[in-house]
Amino acid sequence: MIDNVKANPLSYGLAFLGALLWAGYCVATIRISKGVNGITLFFMMVAVVLWIKYLLIHEDFPMHFSIMAIIYLILAACAMGFGYAAWNIGIMYGNVTALAGASYFTPILSSLLSSVLLSTSLGLSFWQGSIMVCAGSILCWLSTKKFSQKKNKI
């Protein structure tokens, strides 16, 4: 793994930064949202900015639309928009511990679905990683459970 990090320091650095920013975003959302979910407006604004950017520099990357491409675009937009909106609702009003635990399984379910759609098999390293993710999720849940029990006793 160290060799991979040395070969791709920017990728791993940005992934680490993204993890820190995501954690900060989740904590900040809980503290400053006051029950208002702004993620839908944020995604709409980002989409408008990216389409404007594409229209300004599109000559190098022509886009060809078909009915299937439009359907996939709409489905992807809905999946992302509803997913982030649901995440924000969960963060603001739900059980954050359960939400965090469930989020560990999202990459596993995504990989399983992708393998079915692409008719490919998942290797041993995937299953080993899945077991580690599940174990990590259970470990995190147990640690927060013990902490909340101690907190309630005080």
Side-chain angles (χ1 to χ4, degrees):
M1 184 168 166
I2 291 172
D3 292 336
N4 285 337
V5 173
K6 286 180 182 178
N8 304 297
L10 181 61
S11 298
Y12 282 94
L14 289 174
F16 183 71
L17 178 64
L20 293 176
L21 290 172
W22 183 252
Y25 164 78
C26 291
V27 170
T29 297
I30 293 169
R31 298 197 188 275
I32 65 174
S33 68
K34 296 182 176 140
V36 177
N37 188 351
I39 199 72
T40 305
L41 178 62
F42 173 77
F43 270 105
M44 290 169 62
M45 292 187 317
V46 168
V48 167
V49 168
L50 291 175
W51 277 110
I52 290 170
K53 179 183 176 203
Y54 171 77
L55 292 172
L56 292 175
I57 61 167
H58 74 281
E59 64 272 350
D60 295 337
F61 305 102
M63 193 177 299
H64 303 285
F65 287 104
S66 67
I67 296 297
M68 287 308 295
I70 292 170
I71 290 171
Y72 284 139
L73 180 65
I74 290 169
L75 289 174
C78 287
M80 287 187 64
F82 287 127
Y84 278 102
W87 178 266
N88 266 23
I89 290 168
I91 290 241
M92 291 186 296
Y93 305 113
N95 182 338
V96 177
T97 303
L99 184 65
S103 72
Y104 283 106
F105 299 101
T106 303
I108 295 170
L109 294 175
S110 174
S111 298
L112 287 171
L113 179 62
S114 297
S115 73
V116 169
L117 290 174
L118 299 172
S119 300
T120 60
S121 61
L122 297 168
L124 178 63
S125 61
F126 170 80
W127 294 111
Q128 290 171 335
S130 296
I131 290 168
M132 287 187 270
V133 166
C134 292
S137 175
I138 292 167
L139 181 64
C140 288
W141 176 73
L142 289 173
S143 68
T144 58
K145 184 178 174 185
K146 289 178 184 176
F147 177 74
S148 65
Q149 288 173 349
K150 287 180 184 177
K151 187 177 174 182
N152 289 338
K153 289 180 182 178
I154 294 176

